[in-house]
Amino acid sequence: MTTSQSSVSFTTASVGKKVLMAITGILLIGFLIVHLIGNLQLFVGQEQLNKYAETLQSLGALKWGFRLFMLILAVVHVWKGVVLWLENQRARPVGYRREDTIQASLSSRTMIYTGLLILAFVVYHLLHFTVIATNPEYAQLKDSMGRMDVYSMVITGFSNYFIAAVYLIAMFLLAYHLSHAAESFFQTMGWANEKYLPKLKFLSNVFAIIIFLGYASMPIAVLLNYVTLPGGGF
Amino acid sequence: MNLTLYVWRQKNADDKGRMEKYEARDINHHMSFLEMLDVVNEGLIQQGTEPIAFDHDCREGICGTCSLMINGRAHGPEMATTVCQLHMRHFKDGDTIYIEPWRARAFPVLKDLVVDRSAFDRIMQAGGFVSINAGGAPDANALPIAKKDADTAMDAAACIGCGACVASCKNASAMLFVAAKVSQFASLPQGHAERKQRVEKMVAQMDREGFGNCTNYYECEAACPKEISVKFIAMMNREYLMATVTR
């Protein structure tokens, strides 16, 4: 073994693709945590949430830079995920008549489906609350200081049972995806061993439940009238 | 005991193949699964029918030749057991048993239950060795190896290359096999010199053979008759990353 005859580059090699999935995935998880902390300001009140939203919107180039970065992460994660899935389909052209599963979790076996459903949700979510295309009436919501009234927008949005249900289902799928994803990150990066892997699996599930409860708390609080529109809404 | 078998029959690599039904009569529960198939084959030969082709060699669980998917599980229902060490007492009278070959693009079926596993040989040829200037055999204790490292290498070296990891993986990935081989060498001082080229070449060959990608199902670990841990996959990922970063 003198010179390297390896013609397969890192990003197309099986292990390299997985590392790309893992790194983009963990950065997307980082976004989920930051996004959740930001959103939970709904429980502080209208002033706090609207001020936060206004601050984010005022970041200008930084905001667009961040959005571009998130878009790249999402594109790489989805693209490599689909490529891996297609290759895996091709790796077994003739399947088994009888196939059993010993320990592969359902979440690990449904990553492509939960992943694509989450992608569909992200598109809807952006159209709903960011572009405000699905419910254009939100754009007229302004608070007393003339800012975009994100607080009222969220409450109005989640007051619709159908929309709240879509968000809750999506958050369940997200959590299900994460329960395998978070643990998988450590295995793929090579930071797991037989001692840590069971603990990582457990912590991965705990993390997924925290993310679900955190995000689900908002539509649930609205549906239970725990957070309500200031002065009766629009 | 009497059993109903559904067995994959395929004349050759070009044949489409089909499941065929056989009745296994008066099977002794002390028999191994392969001995049960021997009895069925005796009957088929007496009837003038082509016997069922299946791979087997040592019949003592160490050679890695036997390779049957039994009721959807590689090497059958018992953990840490090769088919030759699987005994009929684990089945009940009247059971229906599905017997299929390993399924993977990289393991084409040659005949009935026999598949071509030479893809594994080519992966080994790509880097699964240590290049040495062969001289006189060195003294056994000339090269001290920590107990922990020796144990890790031995655990990895327990791999018999049967391919159950590929067969049981939902993606037909060979990661556990390659990881065991890479880790075995990487754990020992003799293997250190070539560790970077080794992991890159073996992974590249694995990809060329058309195996699937690992998505961390860990089904391989559960199916492995030698209980090779998926920690070795993490170890190989680490080796691969280190090799790429420091190239």
Side-chain angles (χ1 to χ4, degrees):
Chain A
M1 293 201 300
T2 48
T3 54
S4 173
Q5 61 174 47
S6 164
S7 58
V8 188
S9 82
F10 181 76
T11 51
T12 52
S14 57
V15 181
K17 271 184 294 225
K18 281 165 49 67
V19 169
L20 279 180
M21 287 298 286
I23 292 173
T24 52
I26 203 74
L27 291 171
L28 289 167
I29 284 180
F31 171 74
L32 282 176
I33 296 169
V34 175
H35 191 46
L36 177 62
I37 294 169
N39 290 2
L40 286 175
Q41 294 174 79
L42 174 76
F43 292 105
V44 181
Q46 186 184 24
E47 169 59 24
Q48 179 70 28
L49 187 65
N50 290 357
K51 196 173 80 188
Y52 170 69
E54 179 85 356
T55 310
L56 291 185
Q57 289 299 327
S58 68
L59 293 177
L62 196 64
K63 179 183 81 173
W64 283 103
F66 183 76
R67 284 177 169 176
L68 182 67
F69 179 61
M70 292 305 297
L71 182 69
I72 292 169
L73 287 184
V75 166
V76 171
H77 194 73
V78 172
W79 172 243
K80 286 292 169 191
V82 169
V83 167
L84 282 166
W85 183 75
L86 288 173
E87 285 178 354
N88 293 342
Q89 297 300 300
R90 280 201 296 270
R92 179 166 291 141
V94 182
Y96 294 107
R97 299 297 171 94
R98 269 289 161 91
E99 191 170 353
D100 200 3
T101 299
I102 309 170
Q103 68 174 19
S105 65
L106 190 60
S107 62
S108 72
R109 287 180 283 132
T110 51
M111 291 300 272
I112 185 73
Y113 308 111
T114 51
L116 290 175
L117 286 169
I118 292 163
L119 174 67
F121 167 75
V122 168
V123 171
Y124 168 71
H125 178 52
L126 289 174
L127 291 174
H128 183 219
F129 277 156
T130 306
V131 185
I132 314 186
T134 56
N135 297 67
E137 68 275 13
Y138 295 166
Q140 281 138 40
L141 293 167
K142 300 286 178 220
D143 67 8
S144 56
M145 293 176 70
R147 295 177 299 209
M148 174 69 203
D149 192 357
V150 173
Y151 182 81
S152 299
M153 178 176 78
V154 170
I155 294 173
T156 310
F158 291 156
S159 300
N160 178 321
Y161 291 126
F162 178 72
I163 291 174
V166 167
Y167 274 77
L168 286 172
I169 292 167
M171 288 309 102
F172 175 77
L173 293 172
L174 175 67
Y176 207 57
H177 194 79
L178 291 179
S179 69
H180 178 66
E183 161 224 318
S184 240
F185 170 77
F186 294 95
Q187 172 75 3
T188 299
M189 298 305 289
W191 299 328
N193 59 27
E194 63 207 330
K195 188 173 153 202
Y196 293 131
L197 198 56
K199 294 187 177 91
L200 287 169
K201 282 184 189 172
F202 174 76
L203 289 175
S204 194
N205 287 332
V206 170
F207 173 72
I209 291 168
I210 290 171
I211 289 289
F212 175 75
L213 292 177
Y215 278 106
S217 69
M218 290 169 274
I220 289 172
V222 170
L223 290 175
L224 296 177
N225 285 323
Y226 180 72
V227 281
T228 49
L229 285 172
F234 68 103
Chain B
M1 61 201 289
N2 296 319
L3 304 158
T4 305
L5 308 179
Y6 287 91
V7 183
W8 183 260
R9 299 306 305 265
Q10 185 173 332
K11 271 198 187 71
N12 51 49
D14 302 323
D15 184 21
K16 230 178 133 235
R18 72 221 74 83
M19 294 299 276
E20 274 181 23
K21 188 179 172 183
Y22 299 95
E23 298 295 334
R25 300 264 158 235
D26 303 321
I27 299 300
N28 186 313
H29 65 270
H30 293 305
M31 284 178 182
S32 76
F33 199 87
L34 297 186
E35 284 162 347
M36 182 275 290
L37 284 179
D38 291 339
V39 170
V40 172
N41 274 346
E42 290 289 339
L44 291 178
I45 291 164
Q46 275 171 19
Q47 286 172 29
T49 314
E50 177 88 8
I52 302 160
F54 60 90
D55 264 333
H56 62 101
D57 191 10
C58 76
R59 297 212 180 192
E60 51 188 15
I62 54 163
C63 75
T65 308
C66 54
S67 53
L68 299 178
M69 203 72 176
I70 299 167
N71 285 338
R73 286 201 187 182
H75 290 297
E78 288 296 294
M79 301 296 277
T81 307
T82 54
V83 179
C84 61
Q85 293 298 301
L86 173 68
H87 290 86
M88 296 314 294
R89 54 179 166 271
H90 298 295
F91 296 89
K92 291 191 305 289
D93 184 41
D95 272 359
T96 299
I97 305 174
Y98 281 73
I99 309 170
E100 297 175 75
W102 286 171
R103 292 290 189 197
R105 186 164 57 127
F107 285 168
V109 175
L110 296 176
K111 185 177 183 177
D112 297 342
L113 303 168
V114 178
V115 299
D116 179 1
R117 282 171 285 185
S118 51
F120 271 10
D121 299 336
R122 290 188 291 272
I123 293 172
M124 291 307 282
Q125 284 160 9
F129 51 82
V130 170
S131 310
I132 51 159
N133 294 319
D139 183 71
N141 293 320
L143 188 59
I145 299 169
K147 171 88 167 75
K148 195 170 127 287
D149 296 337
D151 286 351
T152 305
M154 192 64 222
D155 286 349
C159 170
I160 53 176
C162 66
C165 44
V166 175
S168 62
C169 176
K170 309 290 177 193
N171 304 334
S173 166
M175 284 285 276
L176 192 65
F177 167 76
V178 181
K181 300 306 177 192
V182 164
S183 304
Q184 173 194 334
F185 292 114
S187 304
L188 295 173
Q190 293 92 333
H192 274 240
E194 294 163 303
R195 66 196 294 180
K196 287 179 192 170
Q197 305 98 298
R198 177 181 301 113
V199 67
E200 288 191 332
K201 287 185 173 182
M202 289 181 81
V203 167
Q205 188 61 38
M206 170 179 84
D207 293 349
R208 250 178 254 130
E209 296 292 346
F211 290 104
N213 303 288
C214 174
T215 50
N216 305 334
Y217 293 130
Y218 311 139
E219 193 69 4
C220 50
E221 175 187 70
C224 178
K226 297 298 160 188
E227 300 185 295
I228 307 284
S229 164
V230 292
K231 76 171 178 186
F232 290 116
I233 295 180
M235 198 185 271
M236 178 167 78
N237 290 338
R238 202 157 62 227
E239 284 286 313
Y240 189 85
L241 272 171
M242 284 303 290
T244 310
V245 171
T246 60
R247 184 157 44 189

